[in-house]
Each structure stands twice: as structure tokens, then as C-alpha cells.
Amino acid sequence: MTQELVSLTIIMAVAAVSPIVAQLIPGKFIPQTVLLLAAGTALGPYGLGVIEVNDAVKLLNELGMAFLFLLAGYEIDPKRLAGHQGKVGLLTWGITLGLAWLVVTFLPFFTKQGINGVATVIALTTTALGTLMPILKERNLEGTPIGDAIISYGTWGELGPILAMAILLSTRTGWQTMLVLGAFLAICLLCAMLPTKALRTGHRLYRFLTENANTSSQTLMRLTTFLLIFLVTISALFELDAVLGAFAAGFILRYIIPDGSKSLEMKLEGVGYGFLIPVFFVVSGAAINVRAVASRPALLVAFIVMLMLIRAVPVYVALSLDKRKNPLSSHHRVTVALYCTTALPIIVAVTSLAVKVGTMQSDTASTLVAAGAITVFLMPLLGSITYQVADIHPVTAVREIAHTPSDWRTIVREHAQVRALLHHQDRLKRMAETLKSLEKQEGLNGLDSRRAELVERARLEIDRQLKELGLDPQLTTQLPHNYRYPKN
């Protein structure tokens, strides 16, 4: 027990220090997740060896992964899946899966590396939506057109591989697999329908749960945790991956509470991001064998390149063909595609399963996990660069500077001003939508009226500054999507 406590103490010390280090880094361009992974690699069995991945740590690691996918499933709005962008996201993921199968099957490189199996195909189609959500929140992308596109395409990049793992990596025959999945689906539907019915009828049990949600009983939190562990246990009993049960629990929770619950969300994030999820990322880093990765640099680089070609390119093409419904600029489409190429948790799950059944060597799995860890750092970094470049309009700025070199300081300043205005407009739009929804639900009180007044005053100020830049405020309602900087 002493060694277990020592390992957990070191892991939580890393978890506590990581956000401080991330804050101190100039530009804050390294997500906390990357620091957790790096620390796990350095301190784990293949590094200094001060973290021992024993049974107790493995259990917490499994719970951390379960909470990560619970929160990922909870972020998914069923209406988004059934909407236009959700359908396009599903079609795009299907094309991605087909491309991955063709590349892994027929490209000699993967055959020589001995990883031309289904696990590699699935790993090349994934998006780490659960990992991306805190990054999107940190960078104020949640609720923006870019953030919505990332979630829509990323949802299928998470859900699709989970279903593919259950179907394609099963050791059962086809009809047995479908029978087991059908039974699991029936249990999930039962878990979703009973609370929903109690909610609609105002059952006494439901009233008891809601009235004691924020007392020492913490009824809703306990029930949510029970739902998560119950479905993860059912997944284990059915010999399915725990990821499926955790994701289903989050999806069911969103179905039961379609409008969300701030109180419950804060508690789930507190337990998840405050304790269990950092354990998962540190232990994932500890599973990376640095020597094995260093001995196969070609596989590491090739896998990351293939991820970009197989996952990012189809997303970019889909957004380009769907410009009428989603009018994003080319730079913003690149941003969405890069974020959707962030991959790690599914790679950890699928490679662990492949190693367990003997279809993949542990050194190969370690290299693929390392590649996934690199994407958690690399893709959001590249995405943030393209996002900023899109708003600054560098090509237009260069043309203007070439036309009048003496005014380069003014041109650069004006482009920077426009970029700031665009971000202000995005925030104002979200505030205005929030106020409208509040007004429809319960009417504006005094505080909300003041907020509405602030929004209107800010709009007037932005209009004034736009006019100073030579822009017509009446023609900029779709910023930043249709924005074109005025020519000299």
C-alpha cells in the first residue's frame, strides 16, 4: 500500500504543478495535458521509475479515462448529431475510415512495420474530443462557429472509433457481436428512459434527488457516478471496451438533462479534471517507452503525417464543399481540420486492446501512443496559429504594404485592430444569444437589462471603430466569415 500511495502522491504533485507551469510559459501555447504526458514519460517505468503503475494506479487510470469520455459524451448535443453539420461529420468520418483502411492495407510501409491491422485503421480516424474541450474553453473558441465545427466533426471522430472498436475488434462472430451490442443498447435505453419519465411526471423520487442535489447527500452526483460505473461494468461483463460504457453514460446524461446543469457540470469537472483525468494522462505518458519510440522514428513521423492526411484533409474538403451552410474562411477551415486531428485517448484504448489480444507489439503501441501525445501539443498549436493568421489577413496586408511601403506601420496596426474587433463581435454575439434565450425563458430582470445595455453600448463602439477603419457596419454582420479588408 505504501508504494501505491507514493506513486499517487507523485502523480498528484505533477497534476498540481502542471497548470502553474503552463501559465508561466510565454504565450501559454503548451496545454496542461502535454505537460502531464511528458511528466508521466519522464517519471514512469521507462524513465526515472519513481511512478509505479500498480493495480491501484491502474484502477484510478481506468476511472480517469471513464470520466474523460463521460464528459466528452456529455458535451454532445443529440440535436447536433441529427443536424446538417452532424450528418456531414458522419459522412466525413466514414470517408476517413475508408481512406485509413486503403492506406494501412496497401501501403508497403505499414505492412513492413507489422501494423496493417484494424487497430491501426481505427487509430488513424480518431479525434480526441474530450481532450480538446478544455483547450477550446481556454482559448475562448467554445460557442464560436469554429468551435461548433470542431465539435460537430470531432463528435464523430470520437463516437465512430468507439463503435468501430466494439464491432471490428471483437473476438466474437458477427451475429454474437451484434447481439451483445443490442443488449448493451437496450440497457442504455432503459437507463435513459426511466429518469426521463420520472422527470416529466414529477415523480417524488425525482423531486427528492433534485432537492438534495446540493446538500451533503449529493444525490445527482452520486447517481451520475453510479450510472458511469454501472455502464463501464456492463461493458466489462460483455467484454466490450470501457470507453463505450463511459461515452454512453455521458450521452445518456445529456439526453436526460438536455439544457445541462451548471451545478452538476462543476462537480463532474471538479472530480474529473481535479483528480482522475490528470491521473489518466500521467499514466498514459508512463506507458510510453522512450527507447522503443527512439528506435522507430520513421513510424512515429509517418503516423503523424498519415493522421494529418487521412483525418485533416477530408475535414477540410468537407468544410470547403459545405461553404453555403458553413461559410468559414480557408484559414479557419484549416484551423478546424487541425484541431480535429488531435488524437490520444482512443489511440491509448485501441492499442491497449490490440496488445492484449496479441495483434500488436507493445513497442509499436508505445510509438503510436507517443505520436498521439505529440498531436495533443502540435495540432492545437498549429490550429491557434492559423486561427490568428486568418483574422490578420496576412496576404492582404503584404499586398497593401507592397503598394505603399511607407505606411507599413499603419497597415499592421489597422489589421491588428480589426482582429481584436472580430473577437469582440464573436463574444458580443454569444452574449446577445444568451440574453435572448433568458428573455424567452423567464423575462429579463434588472441585472440582465444592464447586461443588455452593455452589449448595445459595445456594439455602438464597435460600429464607430469600424467606420474609422473605412468599413460599413451594415456590411460586416457576418464577421469574420465573409470579411474582406478594404483595398487601398
Side-chain angles (χ1 to χ4, degrees):
M1 181 60 71
T2 302
Q3 183 57 49
E4 285 87 342
L5 289 174
V6 170
S7 295
L8 185 58
T9 300
I10 296 171
I11 290 171
M12 293 315 300
V14 170
V17 170
S18 292
I20 301 172
V21 175
Q23 185 73 19
L24 293 175
I25 296 173
K28 304 175 186 176
F29 64 93
I30 299 181
Q32 297 177 33
T33 304
V34 175
L35 299 177
L36 294 171
L37 290 165
T41 304
L43 302 176
Y46 300 106
L48 298 176
V50 295
I51 294 177
E52 181 180 316
V53 185
N54 42 53
D55 290 341
V57 173
K58 285 179 181 178
L59 177 60
L60 291 175
N61 172 58
E62 289 291 322
L63 289 174
M65 184 169 66
F67 258 86
L68 181 66
F69 281 97
L70 168 77
L71 292 171
Y74 180 73
E75 291 290 347
I76 296 174
D77 184 355
K79 294 179 182 178
R80 190 192 300 273
L81 287 178
H84 171 77
Q85 203 166 41
K87 293 176 182 176
V88 175
L90 173 58
L91 177 61
T92 304
W93 182 80
I95 293 171
T96 300
L97 182 65
L99 288 174
W101 180 81
L102 289 172
V103 167
V104 172
T105 303
F106 295 105
L107 197 67
F109 175 81
F110 285 99
T111 305
K112 290 178 181 178
Q113 296 290 330
I115 54 170
N116 57 336
V118 176
T120 309
V121 172
I122 295 174
L124 285 168
T125 67
T126 180
T127 296
L129 185 62
T131 306
L132 280 176
M133 289 311 302
I135 296 175
L136 297 180
K137 290 176 182 178
E138 289 172 8
R139 297 180 178 180
N140 297 316
L141 288 174
E142 192 179 29
T144 66
I146 292 174
D148 290 343
I150 293 170
I151 293 173
S152 293
Y153 285 88
T155 294
W156 285 109
E158 190 110 74
L159 180 57
I162 289 173
L163 295 175
M165 285 173 61
I167 297 171
L168 300 178
L169 292 180
S170 175
T171 56
R172 304 181 181 91
T173 60
W175 70 269
Q176 289 176 328
T177 299
M178 299 312 296
L179 186 63
V180 168
L181 288 176
F184 181 79
L185 177 61
I187 293 172
C188 291
L189 290 174
L190 189 63
C191 292
M193 291 171 64
L194 289 178
T196 304
K197 188 175 181 180
L199 171 63
R200 290 173 180 170
T201 58
H203 195 275
R204 281 185 300 175
L205 177 59
Y206 170 74
R207 291 199 300 272
F208 171 79
L209 292 174
T210 53
E211 288 169 1
N212 291 274
N214 295 315
T215 65
S216 59
S217 298
Q218 292 293 322
T219 48
L220 286 181
M221 183 64 186
R222 292 185 187 184
L223 198 61
T224 301
T225 307
F226 165 73
L227 174 67
L228 172 64
I229 295 177
F230 171 71
L231 289 179
V232 168
T233 303
I234 292 296
S235 299
L237 292 174
F238 285 177
E239 296 182 1
L240 299 169
D241 197 271
V243 169
L244 180 62
F247 199 83
F251 198 75
I252 291 170
L253 188 62
R254 170 59 73 181
Y255 177 78
I256 298 170
I257 317 173
D259 297 325
S261 170
K262 290 294 182 184
S263 175
L264 181 61
E265 289 169 22
M266 288 180 65
K267 294 167 188 173
L268 289 172
E269 290 180 355
V271 175
Y273 293 118
F275 176 33
L276 294 171
I277 293 175
V279 173
F280 166 69
F281 283 118
V282 173
V283 174
S284 296
I288 298 174
N289 186 340
V290 179
R291 292 184 181 86
V293 175
S295 66
R296 307 181 75 176
L299 176 59
L300 180 73
V301 175
F303 191 79
I304 295 173
V305 172
M306 285 298 107
L307 269 173
M308 297 183 70
L309 293 176
I310 291 172
R311 185 68 184 138
V313 172
V315 171
Y316 178 84
V317 172
L319 286 167
S320 300
L321 295 175
D322 196 36
K323 283 194 292 186
R324 288 187 178 181
K325 294 285 185 179
N326 300 289
L328 297 174
S329 68
S330 60
H331 290 83
H332 285 159
R333 294 197 295 272
V334 172
T335 299
V336 173
L338 288 170
Y339 273 104
C340 286
T341 313
T342 304
L344 180 66
I346 291 290
I347 293 179
V348 173
V350 75
T351 54
S352 298
L353 186 58
V355 170
K356 189 181 299 183
V357 299
T359 58
M360 184 179 290
Q361 295 180 353
S362 58
D363 287 356
T364 303
S366 187
T367 304
L368 299 190
V369 170
I374 291 172
T375 65
V376 175
F377 162 71
L378 183 62
M379 301 307 168
L381 174 62
L382 296 176
S384 65
I385 293 172
T386 57
Y387 180 65
Q388 294 175 11
V389 165
D391 289 340
I392 296 173
H393 289 268
V395 175
T396 309
V398 169
R399 289 176 180 172
E400 292 173 0
I401 292 172
H403 186 264
T404 52
S406 59
D407 294 338
W408 70 270
R409 289 187 179 86
T410 303
I411 293 169
V412 170
R413 186 181 70 252
E414 288 181 349
H415 277 262
Q417 286 178 327
V418 169
R419 176 176 176 270
L421 290 173
L422 299 181
H423 286 288
H424 284 311
Q425 281 209 344
D426 277 343
R427 283 195 286 269
L428 284 171
K429 183 180 178 181
R430 294 199 296 275
M431 288 175 65
E433 289 174 351
T434 302
L435 289 170
K436 285 180 181 178
S437 64
L438 288 172
E439 187 176 12
K440 289 179 181 177
Q441 292 174 9
E442 54 192 26
L444 290 172
N445 55 32
L447 177 62
D448 293 326
S449 298
R450 287 193 292 274
R451 286 176 65 194
E453 183 182 351
L454 285 172
V455 171
E456 185 59 30
R457 286 171 58 187
R459 280 181 180 148
L460 292 173
E461 176 62 19
I462 283 183
D463 286 351
R464 184 187 66 79
Q465 293 188 41
L466 286 170
K467 289 177 181 178
E468 287 183 1
L469 290 171
L471 298 170
D472 184 353
Q474 300 300 319
L475 300 178
T476 58
T477 55
Q478 296 299 318
L479 284 174
H481 313 309
N482 296 332
Y483 169 69
R484 293 294 182 275
Y485 202 82
K487 295 179 180 179
N488 288 343

